Structures are given as structure tokens and as C-alpha cells.
């Protein structure tokens, strides 16, 4: 570096711009069933009286009359008006536009229950009240496209919000149970409206993306837990959970599954925003490298990266602090650590057996990465801190001998021209910080990385070659002496120079899966 040079060229991670809710093309249209929605009756009154709702005739873009809309109840409230404006939309994102915010706005009214649906199918148009009741029940409970949000207040009240959509129509639900909401609770819930909309629009997009970072930043003075789930047919199911013990995102797609979890019960070691952004960028770079090396699914990896970045970027502090007051990482310690809270993350692709003649050859992708920090010692003056990060990639895949021809393996010898790749990579980085009677005795970094690749080549079904390429590197460095000599304290810009030195150690200690980079870390000189 100059005096501290950068160890990594990875750019700092900056959270992606929030996904803006899709604008409705008919946003200025009035509610079809009532001349005005400027003044509304309460949801309780709407639920208390369920007269037969007038049918709403809809027209397609070319003017053809479609099936009439059949409403569950009167459309004399803002949420029904929003539903009505969205009916002409051709996709789920349009049908759900603005509904997240409108649902959470229900917390500001006195009613604790709200339910509305609109049926749009020919079956509903031709059916009687009994048919409508069955279709509504299926839409509310078993819709193929579902979004659900559960919030729990610190006082124990529970808010449940649901959206559902399928070929029959759209349904929404809002319910408060296990207590009541204070004015402060209502404000905290409604404040999440835009964030809820952004999360919905991101998932409803093509391809789906994660926009959960704003939703994670709820008011912890009023809300204790958040549970967000989404099911989009067979394409995607996702869950975000935040409570006193965890912050996690889990997703399943047709390509596989992924999970990212932050441990809220671990020692509070989160660093500065700059440290977090640098560490996130470094990990995202390695995730991309793992996907390329192991032929991982690009769509699933994109969700994995979004979940990792957004969870860490929003975790400015642990949800709860369980570290004893007499034993904690101080500013110097935090300056040397990664900056991220402890986590575990995994992404696993679905296995496949594409070669009918060699069933022992499996296409698969499994990547796991984690960080764990431990604090120990008799007291603050004699503390020890160990932060360890690890990753493991196991993957295997088939590749055509001719890049311009797709591989189509069958039971004929003519199809058996390919290479079979097996990957087994490991990486480990451990920083050990120790004090005795208040003096630093060690600041030792141990790093290692290994990449193991085996390639078997087949021509007309015959094994013609096998190659094995192992690469590995490891280093051990101790910065205690450099931190102890106090040279920077004697300089006019001493505080700045010491900060640069700690920052350099933090960057150098980030997990690195490339053996060549680990080897380069061993020769990197840090100056104040």
C-alpha cells in the first residue's frame, strides 16, 4: 500500500438500487364499482356486511369483452381500489403492484382483520355463490403464486399479511392477532410498506431478483421478528427470517437450493461500513469464481449473491448482544477482523446423471462458506480472539470435446466424446489476536488454499487420458511486533497510519480460495 497497497482489486460492494414497484397503466382510473374512493368506510364494516358484489366487466386491450370480475365484498376502500386498478395487468408483477404497501397501510385503521379477492376466470363468471366460495378459499389458501409477511411486535402482537394469485384471480388478507397494536407499532408496520412492495416486485420480475435489504431494516424498537415467504409456482420458493437468534434467507429453485444465515447470538464483531463493503465484494468475487470453476447454475448463484450481500449490508449491528461486558473486541481488534458478522452459507445444485453408460458420473455442485469468531480469556486485559473463515467447493460436470456442439449423451458409442471434470477445492483463513496484561502478544494470520482438479477424457466411449492438477499454498504471518513498536504513535499522523495498518491486516486476512493469491499474501508487506 502506498504506503499501504491494496491486496485485492475487488470493488467495494454497494447495495443494488431498490426495485421500484411497477407503475399501473391505469393508475388514474376510478374504482369500477363505486364513483369515488376518497372517503372510505372501515374494514370492519366492510367485513361485517357481505352483500352480493356487483360484477365488473373487463375489456381486453383490443376491446373484446372478457369474463366479468367477481368480488368477495364491496370495493369501497383504498385496497380494493388498488386491486381494481391492477386487474388489466398481464403478469403477476402488475397484478401485485402497490399491494404490499396498501396491505401494511391496513395497520393504520382500527380493524384487525381484512380480506378481499377478485375472481377473473370464466369458471367464476359462470358459477353460483357455492362455486365462488370454493374458488375464493382455494385462492386465499392454495394460490400457486403466494407472498406472506408475518411481523411480531416486542409486546407480542402478530401481524399476518398474505397475497395470492393464480389463473382464477387475486386475493389479499390482513390480520392482527395475539394482542393489539400501539400507535408506535402501527407506525413501524406502515413504514415497511415501500420495502414490502420492492421485495414483491423483485421476486415477481423475470428473472426474479432479491430486493430484501430495505425490508430487513425494520424498527427493532417496536418489532421483534420478521418472517417473509414467497412461492412462485414451481420456479421459486423463498423465506427470509429475522429474529433474536438469526437473520437468514433460504431459497429453492428448479436448479437447486441455497441458504445464507447470520448468527445473531455470536460475539459482536461487525466492523465499519468500509470493511463490510470490501469483505462483501471479496466474497462475491469468489462466489463467481466458484460458479465458473464448478459450472454452477447462474440463476441460483445470482440469488445466493444477492442474499449474502443484502443480509450483511443490512446487519450494521447484531440483533442481540450476548457478549459479557468484561470481554469484548475493542476498536483495534475490530480493525483487524473481516468486518462481517459470523455467518454460514451454502448453495447446492440438483444432481444429474446425464450419461446412461456411466451412471457413476454425476453432475453436481456444492459450495459452502462460513465464518466463526470466538472470544475467550480471564478478562479484557487477557483476552484471545480467533476468527476463522472456511470454504469448500465440490463439483463435477461433463463437457463436450467440441465447444460448438452441445453434449448429448446416449447409449451409442458415437455420443461418448466428452471430458468429465471433478473439482475439490478448500480454503481457510484464521486470524488469532492475543493479549496478556493489556499488551498485544500476537496478531497471527494463517491462510491456506488448495485446488484439486481431475479430468477424464473419453473418445467413442474409451478412456484415452486422465489428468490430475493439484495446487496449494499456505502462509503464516504475525503482525504483533509491527503493531507493538509504536512507530506510528510518534508520527504527526500516527492515528491515521495505525488505522491504515489495521485496515491492511483486515484486507489481507479475508478468505482467499486462489492458491496464487494466498502465496502473494505471504510476500505482501504492510507499512504504516
Amino acid at each position: 500500500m502506498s504506503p499501504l497497497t491494496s491486496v485485492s482489486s475487488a470493488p467495494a460492494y454497494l447495495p443494488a438500487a431498490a426495485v421500484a414497484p411497477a407503475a399501473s397503466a391505469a393508475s388514474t382510473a376510478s374504482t369500477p364499482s363505486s364513483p369515488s374512493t376518497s372517503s372510505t368506510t372501515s374494514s370492519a364494516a366492510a367485513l361485517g356486511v357481505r352483500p352480493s358484489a356487483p360484477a365488473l366487466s373487463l375489456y381486453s386491450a383490443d376491446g373484446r369483452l372478457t369474463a366479468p370480475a367477481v368480488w368477495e365484498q364491496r370495493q369501497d376502500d383504498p385496497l380494493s381500489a388498488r386491486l381494481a386498478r391492477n386487474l388489466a395487468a398481464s403478469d403477476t408483477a402488475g397484478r401485485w403492484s402497490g399491494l404490499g404497501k396498501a396491505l401494511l397501510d391496513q395497520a393504520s385503521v382500527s380493524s384487525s382483520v381484512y380480506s378481499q379477492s377478485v375472481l377473473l376466470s370464466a369458471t367464476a363468471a359462470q358459477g353460483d355463490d357455492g362455486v365462488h366460495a370454493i374458488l375464493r378459499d382455494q385462492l386465499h389458501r392454495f394460490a400457486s403464486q403466494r407472498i406472506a409477511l408475518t411481523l411480531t411486535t416486542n409486546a407480542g402482537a402478530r401481524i399476518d399479511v398474505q397475497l395470492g394469485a393464480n389463473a382464477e384471480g387475486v386475493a389479499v388478507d390482513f390480520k392482527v392477532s395475539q394482542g393489539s397494536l400501539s400507535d408506535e407499532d402501527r407506525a413501524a408496520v406502515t413504514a415497511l410498506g415501500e420495502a414490502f412492495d420492492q421485495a414483491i416486485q423483485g421476486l415477481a420480475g423475470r428473472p426474479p431478483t432479491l430486493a430484501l435489504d430495505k425490508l430487513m431494516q425494520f424498527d427493532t424498537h417496536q418489532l421483534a421478528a420478521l418472517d417473509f415467504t414467497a412461492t412462485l409456482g414451481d420456479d421459486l420458493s423463498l423465506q427470509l427470517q429475522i429474529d433474536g437468534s438469526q437473520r437468514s434467507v433460504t431459497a429453492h429453485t428448479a436448479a437447486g437450493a441455497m441458504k445464507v444465515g447470520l448468527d445473531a447470538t455470536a460475539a459482536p464483531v461487525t466492523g465499519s461500513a468500509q470493511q463490510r463493503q470490501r469483505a462483501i465484494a471479496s466474497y462475491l468475487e469468489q462466489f463467481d469464481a466458484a460458479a465458473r470453476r464448478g459450472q454452477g447454475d447462474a440463476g441460483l448463484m445470482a440469488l445466493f449473491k444477492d442474499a449474502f450481500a443484502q443480509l450483511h449490508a443490512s446487519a450494521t449491528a447484531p440483533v442481540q448482544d450476548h457478549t459479557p461486558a468484561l470481554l469484548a473486541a475493542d476498536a483495534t481488534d475490530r480493525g483487524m477482523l473481516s468486518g462481517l458478522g459470523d455467518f454460514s452459507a451454502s448453495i447446492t445444485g440438483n444432481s444429474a446423471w446425464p450419461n446412461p453408460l456411466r451412471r457413476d458420473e454425476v453432475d453436481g455442485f456444492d459450495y459452502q462458506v462460513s465464518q466463526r469468531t470466538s472470544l475467550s480469556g480471564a478478562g479484557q486485559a487477557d483476552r484471545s480472539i480467533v476468527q476463522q473463515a472456511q470454504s469448500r467447493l465440490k463439483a463435477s460436470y461433463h463437457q463436450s470435446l467440441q465447444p460448438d456442439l452441445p453434449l448429448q449423451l446416449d447409449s451409442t458409442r458415437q455420443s461418448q466424446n466428452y471430458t468429465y471434470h471433478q473439482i475439490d477445492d478448500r480454503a481457510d483463513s484464521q486470524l488469532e489476536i492475543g493479549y496478556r496484561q493489556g499488551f498485544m502478544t500476537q496478531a497471527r494470520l494463517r491462510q491456506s488454499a488448495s485446488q484439486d482438479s481431475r479430468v477424464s477424457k473419453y473418445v467413442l466411449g474409451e478412456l484415452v487420458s486422465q489428468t490430475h492438477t493439484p495446487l496449494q499454498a499456505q502462509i503464516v504471518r504475525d503482525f504483533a511486533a509491527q503493531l507493538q513498536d509504536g512507530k506510528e504513535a510518534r508520527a504527526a499522523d500516527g492515528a491515521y497510519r495505525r488505522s491504515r495498518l489495521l485496515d491492511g491486516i483486515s484486507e489481507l486476512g479475508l478468505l482467499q480460495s486462489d492458491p496464487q493469491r494466498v502465496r502473494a499474501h505471504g510476500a505482501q508487506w504492510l507499512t504504516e
Side-chain angles (χ1 to χ4, degrees):
M1 297 185 177
S2 180
L4 180 62
T5 57
S6 175
V7 175
S8 169
S9 60
Y13 169 77
L14 296 177
V19 179
S24 172
S27 61
T28 59
S30 62
T31 306
S33 60
S34 61
S36 172
T37 59
S38 59
S39 61
T40 63
T41 59
S42 71
S43 301
L47 284 174
V49 180
R50 292 178 179 266
S52 299
L56 171 65
S57 294
L58 297 178
Y59 289 83
S60 63
D62 59 3
R64 291 180 293 106
L65 183 65
T66 64
V70 180
W71 291 84
E72 181 176 334
Q73 59 174 317
R74 286 188 182 275
Q75 309 109 59
D76 53 1
D77 61 90
L79 188 45
S80 295
R82 168 61 72 173
L83 269 170
R85 289 198 296 269
N86 292 352
L87 291 182
S90 60
D91 57 13
T92 302
R95 290 276 179 89
W96 282 348
S97 175
L99 291 182
K101 183 179 187 305
L103 273 167
L104 290 186
D105 282 347
Q106 288 297 122
S108 64
V109 301
S110 58
S111 174
S112 61
V113 178
Y114 179 93
S115 179
Q116 178 66 291
S117 65
V118 55
L119 302 174
L120 303 171
S121 66
T123 303
Q126 298 168 7
D128 56 17
D129 289 347
V131 171
H132 295 165
I134 293 173
L135 294 177
R136 285 174 186 139
D137 181 67
Q138 293 176 339
L139 188 56
H140 279 290
R141 296 201 297 159
F142 307 113
S144 59
Q145 313 283 322
R146 300 190 305 277
I147 298 286
L149 176 66
T150 298
L151 300 170
T152 305
T153 70
N154 287 322
R158 172 172 166 151
I159 303 98
D160 288 291
V161 173
Q162 294 187 63
L163 295 83
N166 59 20
E168 298 295 338
V170 183
V172 295
D173 293 277
F174 175 91
K175 181 180 180 181
V176 177
S177 61
Q178 301 178 19
S180 59
L181 301 181
S182 67
D183 290 343
E184 292 79 8
D185 293 337
R186 296 179 191 279
V189 172
T190 57
L192 286 174
E194 295 288 352
F196 191 26
D197 265 342
Q198 290 171 8
I200 293 170
Q201 290 299 305
L203 291 173
R206 289 291 179 265
T209 59
L210 297 190
L212 305 175
D213 46 337
K214 298 293 181 60
L215 195 59
M216 298 177 195
Q217 298 171 22
F218 58 84
D219 183 356
T220 56
H221 294 98
Q222 303 303 134
L223 302 176
L226 178 150
D227 192 335
F228 172 84
T229 61
T231 301
L232 304 178
D234 296 327
D235 296 332
L236 173 66
S237 63
L238 177 137
Q239 182 174 33
L240 164 66
Q241 288 183 297
I242 302 177
D243 56 35
S245 63
Q246 65 172 336
R247 302 169 67 92
S248 67
V249 175
T250 305
H252 297 266
T253 74
M258 71 86 180
K259 180 174 183 179
V260 182
L262 275 60
D263 184 359
T265 67
V269 293
T270 306
S272 66
Q274 177 186 349
Q275 279 180 289
R276 294 198 309 276
Q277 290 168 5
R278 180 178 59 211
I280 290 170
S282 176
Y283 274 106
L284 297 187
E285 181 184 11
Q286 293 184 67
F287 298 165
D288 284 334
R292 288 192 301 269
R293 184 164 164 78
Q295 298 289 291
D297 180 77
L300 185 60
M301 179 57 76
L303 292 176
F304 181 74
K305 291 170 58 181
D306 283 349
F308 184 90
Q310 292 174 27
L311 276 169
H312 281 292
S314 66
T316 56
V319 176
Q320 290 185 356
D321 186 353
H322 294 275
T323 303
L326 297 179
L327 187 62
D330 66 10
T332 295
D333 304 331
R334 290 171 185 267
M336 289 186 285
L337 299 175
S338 71
L340 300 182
D342 287 352
F343 67 90
S344 62
S346 63
I347 176 171
T348 304
N350 291 333
S351 298
W353 292 261
N355 192 350
L357 297 185
R358 296 184 182 276
R359 301 297 291 177
D360 58 326
E361 294 180 349
V362 183
D363 282 2
F365 181 91
D366 183 78
Y367 180 75
Q368 301 185 34
V369 60
S370 64
Q371 175 189 290
R372 180 175 178 80
T373 308
S374 63
L375 280 73
S376 61
Q380 187 71 0
D382 297 290
R383 67 188 182 278
S384 296
I385 303 172
V386 178
Q387 184 171 85
Q388 183 174 29
Q390 296 177 311
S391 68
R392 174 83 183 272
L393 169 65
K394 285 185 68 67
S396 52
Y397 59 91
H398 293 76
Q399 224 171 26
S400 173
L401 293 182
Q402 297 177 282
D404 57 333
L405 292 179
L407 185 63
Q408 296 180 334
L409 296 171
D410 55 36
S411 57
T412 64
R413 292 180 66 246
Q414 289 73 20
S415 71
Q416 301 288 311
N417 301 296
Y418 66 93
T419 53
Y420 179 59
H421 301 251
Q422 296 170 284
I423 307 296
D424 189 354
D425 297 350
R426 300 170 186 262
D428 185 283
S429 184
Q430 180 170 297
L431 181 64
E432 303 168 353
I433 304 171
Y435 294 86
R436 291 295 177 268
Q437 297 182 354
F439 293 95
M440 180 179 290
T441 57
Q442 71 171 1
R444 182 178 297 118
L445 173 64
R446 305 174 188 269
Q447 267 187 344
S448 64
S450 64
Q451 294 181 336
D452 189 278
S453 176
R454 297 176 184 271
V455 181
S456 302
K457 181 179 180 180
Y458 292 87
V459 176
L460 295 176
E462 298 293 329
L463 178 64
V464 298
S465 68
Q466 283 186 315
T467 59
H468 177 211
T469 308
L471 299 173
Q472 59 181 355
Q474 59 182 359
I475 63 169
V476 179
R477 299 186 62 176
D478 198 326
F479 303 98
Q482 196 171 356
L483 289 166
Q484 288 170 348
D485 71 7
K487 186 195 307 181
E488 78 284 346
R490 297 189 294 271
D493 58 350
Y496 170 75
R497 296 175 65 158
R498 184 173 181 81
S499 174
R500 293 273 295 181
L501 176 58
L502 297 175
D503 198 54
I505 295 172
S506 173
E507 185 173 8
L508 201 66
L510 291 174
L511 183 69
Q512 181 52 251
S513 57
D514 184 345
Q516 291 185 348
R517 289 194 178 183
V518 170
R519 194 172 294 113
H521 284 186
Q524 178 72 46
W525 175 250
L526 302 183
T527 63
E528 297 87 355

